[in-house]
Amino acid sequence: MPQHFDDLRSRFLALDAFLLAHQHLWRPKPFTHRQLPWEAQHPELSTWLRQRSLEQAESAHNHPEQLAAPTPFAEIARHSKALSEIDALPTHALNAISSRMSVDVPGRKWQQIEAFASSLSFRSTPTHWLDWCSGKGHLGRRLAHDGQTLTCLEYDEQLVEAGTHLSARLGIQATHLRQDVMADDAALRLKLHHTPVALHACGDLHVRLMQLASDARCTHMAIAPCCYNRIASDHYQALSTEGQASALELSLDDLGLPLSETVTAGARVRRHRDTSMARRLAFDLLQRQLRGIDEYLPTPSLPSAWLDKPFADYCRDLADLKQLPAPVDQNWLMLEAAGWQRLAEVRNLELVRNLFRRPLELWLILDRALYLQQRDYHVRVGTFCDSHVTPRNLLILAERK
Ligand SMILES: C[S@@+](CC[C@H](N)C(=O)[O-])C[C@H]1O[C@@H](n2cnc3c(N)ncnc32)[C@H](O)[C@@H]1O
């Protein structure tokens, strides 16, 4: 990915134009619409997608751009791919560490930490790491193992305590502080000589770091964002001048789109997820009939034991929970089958939306990168690991000019 200011900016503007031009394709969610507004405009694509199986949708999910679907799919896919192209950040070999350090860390998390750490390169060597929303502080410890100072900020008391014990046991000089990073006094925690790092701090949490660290004029920082939709406001508040000037209004639902890529799950987990969705889609058909209103009705997330109920009981209980009239004279077998049929259609129609997943994520990342540039940072953006290690694999590196 081009590193130069104008290139980040021109990429942002190209993404902005692409997303704006195709809003009708990525905003409506197949799950909540029986018919999507764009289907009338592209009947051939709609019919082609609707006749495909659930297995076919599943196999195309993480690479929708490879699908040979009718127009305008291929052209949009090409455009999406070109706009989403982004290089891996250069990496350097890490010093070997004691295997004790990774003992309590789940495998994939440790891979993320190693990849994050090996992608950090700054002109001057950091002296004091600040692990932002640190959990137990595994990332900070990996970075500070050769003697640099480490401060970990985390608001979950148990994680702070566990982190303190781990650091002491591993002989790492670290201070684990209980801190709500959204509170006013969080600003006092950031010092000029800190190098803040944030691995997967959600929405508002990493935005807050960029604001406070640039206010404190920290020399460098590294942020791998996630959960763009975990924000307090009901729609996205752009950060950069270009983002604020954009006509793109992003709801919480829209902000969830980049997160919809799934890491390959085992067969049991997939079956569970699919059954839950197929039942919800079947219930959606039922509730439209019971209410006499052809509109989606949100339902709460349900304990997984609900999936052990017979289908008819599931529907009756959910109707009761939503205070709908009790269903009578239903052909439950047919309704259940209709739910599975809809699931296949929904998953295949979602492939169109999925073409915009990475472009929207990059738009959000570049809004952050441009914001830091506008606050006097030299910024690099790239991937720090493969998407199978984590789909949230974009890293922003910022150094004060
Ligand atoms: C997704 S986890 C990431 C943890 C760690 N960086 C890692 O990669 O393993 C987000 C962490 O942020 C913490 N957190 C959430 N809200 C916070 C807040 N307002 N202030 C401080 N920490 C918070 C959570 O308790 C959790 O440990």
Coordinates of all heavy atoms in Angstrom, one line a residue, residues 109 133-135 154-156 159 179-182 199-200 205, ligand 1:
K109 N -3.9 -16.3 19.7 CA -3.6 -15.0 20.3 C -2.1 -14.8 20.4 O -1.5 -13.7 20.1 CB -4.2 -14.9 21.7 CG -3.8 -13.7 22.6 CD -4.2 -12.4 21.9 CE -5.6 -12.1 21.8 NZ -5.9 -10.8 21.1
C133 N -5.7 -1.2 27.0 CA -6.7 -2.3 27.1 C -6.0 -3.7 27.0 O -6.2 -4.5 26.1 CB -7.8 -2.1 26.0 SG -8.6 -0.6 26.1
S134 N -5.1 -3.9 27.9 CA -4.1 -4.9 27.8 C -4.6 -6.3 28.1 O -3.8 -7.3 27.9 CB -3.0 -4.6 28.8 OG -3.6 -4.5 30.1
G135 N -5.8 -6.5 28.7 CA -6.1 -7.8 29.2 C -5.1 -8.1 30.2 O -4.8 -7.3 31.1
E154 N -6.0 -1.5 32.0 CA -7.1 -2.5 31.8 C -8.1 -2.2 32.8 O -7.8 -1.9 34.0 CB -6.5 -3.9 31.9 CG -7.5 -5.0 32.0 CD -8.5 -5.1 30.8 OE1 -8.0 -5.2 29.7 OE2 -9.7 -5.2 31.1
Y155 N -9.4 -2.3 32.5 CA -10.4 -2.0 33.6 C -11.0 -3.2 34.2 O -11.6 -3.1 35.2 CB -11.5 -1.0 33.1 CG -12.6 -1.6 32.3 CD1 -13.8 -0.8 32.1 CD2 -12.6 -2.8 31.7 CE1 -14.8 -1.3 31.4 CE2 -13.7 -3.3 31.0 CZ -14.8 -2.5 30.8 OH -15.8 -3.0 30.1
D156 N -10.7 -4.4 33.7 CA -11.2 -5.6 34.4 C -10.3 -6.0 35.5 O -9.1 -6.4 35.3 CB -11.4 -6.7 33.3 CG -11.9 -8.0 33.9 OD1 -11.5 -8.4 35.1 OD2 -12.7 -8.6 33.2
L159 N -8.4 -9.3 35.4 CA -7.3 -9.3 34.4 C -6.1 -8.5 34.9 O -4.9 -8.9 34.6 CB -7.8 -8.8 33.0 CG -8.9 -9.6 32.4 CD1 -9.4 -8.9 31.1 CD2 -8.4 -11.0 32.0
Q179 N -7.7 0.8 35.0 CA -8.1 2.2 34.5 C -9.2 2.0 33.4 O -9.0 1.2 32.5 CB -6.8 2.8 33.8 CG -7.1 4.1 33.1 CD -7.4 5.2 34.0 OE1 -6.7 5.5 35.0 NE2 -8.5 5.9 33.7
D180 N -10.2 2.8 33.6 CA -11.2 2.9 32.5 C -10.6 3.9 31.5 O -10.5 5.1 31.8 CB -12.5 3.3 33.1 CG -13.6 3.6 32.0 OD1 -13.2 3.4 30.8 OD2 -14.7 3.9 32.3
V181 N -10.3 3.4 30.3 CA -9.6 4.3 29.4 C -10.6 5.4 28.8 O -10.1 6.4 28.2 CB -8.9 3.6 28.2 CG1 -7.9 2.6 28.7 CG2 -9.9 2.9 27.3
M182 N -11.9 5.2 29.0 CA -12.8 6.2 28.5 C -13.0 7.3 29.6 O -13.7 8.3 29.3 CB -14.2 5.6 28.2 CG -14.1 4.5 27.1 SD -13.2 5.0 25.6 CE -14.4 6.2 24.9
L199 N -3.7 -3.9 20.8 CA -4.0 -5.0 19.9 C -5.5 -5.3 20.2 O -5.9 -5.7 21.3 CB -3.2 -6.2 20.2 CG -3.5 -7.5 19.6 CD1 -3.6 -7.4 18.1 CD2 -2.6 -8.6 20.0
H200 N -6.3 -5.0 19.2 CA -7.8 -5.3 19.2 C -8.5 -4.7 20.4 O -9.3 -5.3 21.1 CB -8.0 -6.8 19.2 CG -7.5 -7.5 18.0 ND1 -7.2 -8.8 17.8 CD2 -7.2 -6.9 16.7 CE1 -6.8 -9.0 16.6 NE2 -6.8 -7.9 15.9
L205 N -12.4 2.5 22.1 CA -11.2 2.4 23.0 C -10.0 2.8 22.2 O -9.1 3.5 22.7 CB -11.1 1.0 23.5 CG -12.4 0.5 24.3 CD1 -12.1 -1.0 24.7 CD2 -12.7 1.3 25.5
Ligands
LIG1 C1 -10.5 -7.6 22.8 S1 -9.7 -7.4 24.4 C2 -8.1 -7.2 23.9 C3 -7.1 -7.5 25.0 C4 -5.6 -7.6 24.6 N1 -5.2 -6.4 24.0 C5 -5.4 -8.8 23.7 O1 -5.2 -8.6 22.5 O2 -5.5 -9.9 24.2 C6 -10.2 -5.8 24.9 C7 -9.8 -5.5 26.3 O3 -10.2 -4.2 26.6 C8 -10.7 -4.2 28.0 N2 -11.6 -3.0 28.1 C9 -12.8 -2.9 27.6 N3 -13.3 -1.6 27.9 C10 -12.3 -1.0 28.6 C11 -12.2 0.3 29.2 N4 -13.2 1.2 29.1 N5 -11.0 0.7 29.8 C12 -10.0 -0.2 29.8 N6 -10.1 -1.5 29.3 C13 -11.2 -1.9 28.7 C14 -11.4 -5.5 28.1 O4 -11.5 -5.9 29.5 C15 -10.4 -6.4 27.4 O5 -9.4 -6.9 28.2

